[in-house]
């Protein structure tokens, strides 16, 4: 059945079009946080990894992490690894789709929470992270995982959030899915892992199958200088070989970047 075209639907379509046309993660995140705030979600925490293996999510420095929470919250929740014991993170790793945080009291009442998970809940409560929804995005491979936690304003109880979701949940889910898919196409590097223009250019030529001598001629440098750029690129990306650096830079959309 065709969806009835309303002013609200037109506005959503225009917003999604603008979202897909963003050119940087910063621009997208600014749009997304402001949009989610209109539904009452004033604090967001997005995470994505391409390096999941078994029970490991890979090196935290390789995560794509976006948040507008206060640093007092993220420095502990993410910086001290509290997230790994969060009950909703457990749900995210085992499921796909959207889930209300109303399951947390149910998990507690049934004795399904560990002591570590209870400590995370107590920390969240101390920081007014009380009600919300979590979205676990469909993975494109066994090694990837993405999710977002939508935290409601402190004055919104969970039953009010659930009522709002009943009205707008489908739209919210679509918006977040589009944002997630767009984020995966945009350049991102973790702290201290941003390639310089020269490092990126050298890796791009390696990706094109050029030898060090070829790259030296193309870049107007000596072979030793090209080797230095490749070594620094490997160090920045925390890999051992240039082939790994090319792959990792490509996965992070750091190669063949259009200058804006």
């Amino acid at each position: 059945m065709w969806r009835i075209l309303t002013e609200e639907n037109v506005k959503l379509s225009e917003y999604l079009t603008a979202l897909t046309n963003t050119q940087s993660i910063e621009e997208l995140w600014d749009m997304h946080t402001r949009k989610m705030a209109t539904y009452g979600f004033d604090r967001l925490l997005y995470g994505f990894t391409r390096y999941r293996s078994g029970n490991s999510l890979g090196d935290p420095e390789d995560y794509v992490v976006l948040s507008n929470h206060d640093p007092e919250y993220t420095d502990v929740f993410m910086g001290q690894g509290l997230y790994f014991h969060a009950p909703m993170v457990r749900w995210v790793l085992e499921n796909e789709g959207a889930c209300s945080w109303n399951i947390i009291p149910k998990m507690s009442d049934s004795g399904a929470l560990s002591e570590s998970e209870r400590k995370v809940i107590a920390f969240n409560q101390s920081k007014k992270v009380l009600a919300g929804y979590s979205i676990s995005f469909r993975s494109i491979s066994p090694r990837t995982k993405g999710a977002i936690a939508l935290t409601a304003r402190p004055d919104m109880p969970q039953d009010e959030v659930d009522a709002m979701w009943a009205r707008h949940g489908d739209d919210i889910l679509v918006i977040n899915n589009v944002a997630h898919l767009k984020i995966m196409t945009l350049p991102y590097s973790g702290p201290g892992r941003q390639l310089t223009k020269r490092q990126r250019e050298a890796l791009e030529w390696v990706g094109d199958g050029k030898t060090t001598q070829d790259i030296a001629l193309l870049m107007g440098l000596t072979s030793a200088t090209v080797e230095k750029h490749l070594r620094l690129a490997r160090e920045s990306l925390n890999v051992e070989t240039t082939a790994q650096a090319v792959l990792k830079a490509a996965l992070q959309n750091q190669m063949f970047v259009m200058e804006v």
Side-chain angles (χ1 to χ4, degrees):
M1 180 180 295
W2 291 100
R3 188 175 185 181
I4 298 174
L5 192 61
T6 65
E7 183 179 354
E8 183 177 345
N9 294 339
V10 170
K11 289 181 179 179
L12 178 59
S13 176
E14 292 174 347
Y15 173 78
L16 292 175
T17 298
L19 193 69
T20 57
N21 284 327
T22 54
Q23 296 298 302
S24 70
I25 283 184
E26 292 78 14
E27 181 185 1
L28 179 146
W29 192 243
D30 178 65
M31 286 183 61
H32 193 55
T33 52
R34 286 188 285 110
K35 184 64 173 179
M36 288 300 100
T38 66
Y39 295 105
F41 298 119
D42 65 343
R43 290 156 294 166
L44 314 182
L45 177 58
Y46 170 90
F48 177 68
T49 180
R50 297 181 187 273
Y51 305 100
R52 183 181 183 185
S53 178
N55 292 327
S56 172
L57 293 175
D59 186 344
E61 291 192 14
D62 288 329
Y63 299 168
V64 178
V65 177
L66 305 171
S67 181
N68 62 340
H69 276 272
D70 191 289
E72 289 185 1
Y73 179 79
T74 54
D75 286 351
V76 176
F77 190 79
M78 294 302 302
Q80 297 183 21
L82 214 62
Y83 68 94
F84 202 72
H85 303 287
M88 291 311 299
V89 170
R90 171 156 61 99
W91 182 91
V92 158
L93 294 176
E94 297 172 353
N95 300 274
E96 292 179 341
C99 184
S100 167
W101 292 1
N102 65 18
I103 71 166
I104 295 177
K106 299 173 185 176
M107 294 168 70
S108 180
D109 292 343
S110 67
L113 296 178
S114 67
E115 182 61 29
S116 295
E117 289 174 324
R118 292 183 183 278
K119 288 181 180 179
V120 174
I121 293 172
F123 171 74
N124 282 345
Q125 291 174 341
S126 73
K127 298 301 181 182
K128 304 299 182 183
V129 178
L130 306 172
Y133 264 73
S134 290
I135 299 174
S136 176
F137 301 109
R138 177 162 294 183
S139 298
I140 59 176
S141 82
R143 301 207 67 186
T144 63
K145 190 65 222 180
I148 190 167
L150 309 172
T151 301
R153 298 190 314 266
D155 64 337
M156 285 184 70
Q158 187 63 53
D159 57 354
E160 185 177 330
V161 176
D162 290 336
M164 181 278 300
W165 193 275
R167 297 190 302 273
H168 304 290
D170 288 345
D171 288 345
I172 297 171
L173 194 55
V174 167
I175 293 169
N176 278 276
N177 276 322
V178 171
H180 168 60
L181 293 172
K182 181 63 179 182
I183 287 170
M184 290 195 295
T185 72
L186 295 171
Y188 178 85
S189 60
R193 295 195 176 177
Q194 179 69 45
L195 297 173
T196 66
K197 183 177 180 179
R198 284 299 207 183
Q199 291 166 10
R200 185 172 68 243
E201 185 179 358
L203 287 179
E204 289 172 350
W205 285 123
V206 172
D208 278 343
K210 304 299 183 183
T211 66
T212 301
Q213 291 74 21
D214 294 335
I215 298 170
L217 287 172
L218 290 163
M219 295 180 66
L221 305 171
T222 65
S223 294
T225 302
V226 170
E227 289 287 4
K228 183 188 75 171
H229 287 312
L230 293 175
R231 173 178 57 80
L232 293 174
R234 292 192 298 270
E235 292 176 358
S236 293
L237 294 168
N238 193 30
V239 296
E240 296 181 359
T241 69
T242 300
Q244 290 173 326
V246 170
L247 176 60
K248 195 166 192 177
L251 288 173
Q252 294 178 347
N253 302 306
Q254 288 203 65
M255 289 173 59
F256 305 105
V257 177
M258 293 184 63
E259 299 292 339
V260 294

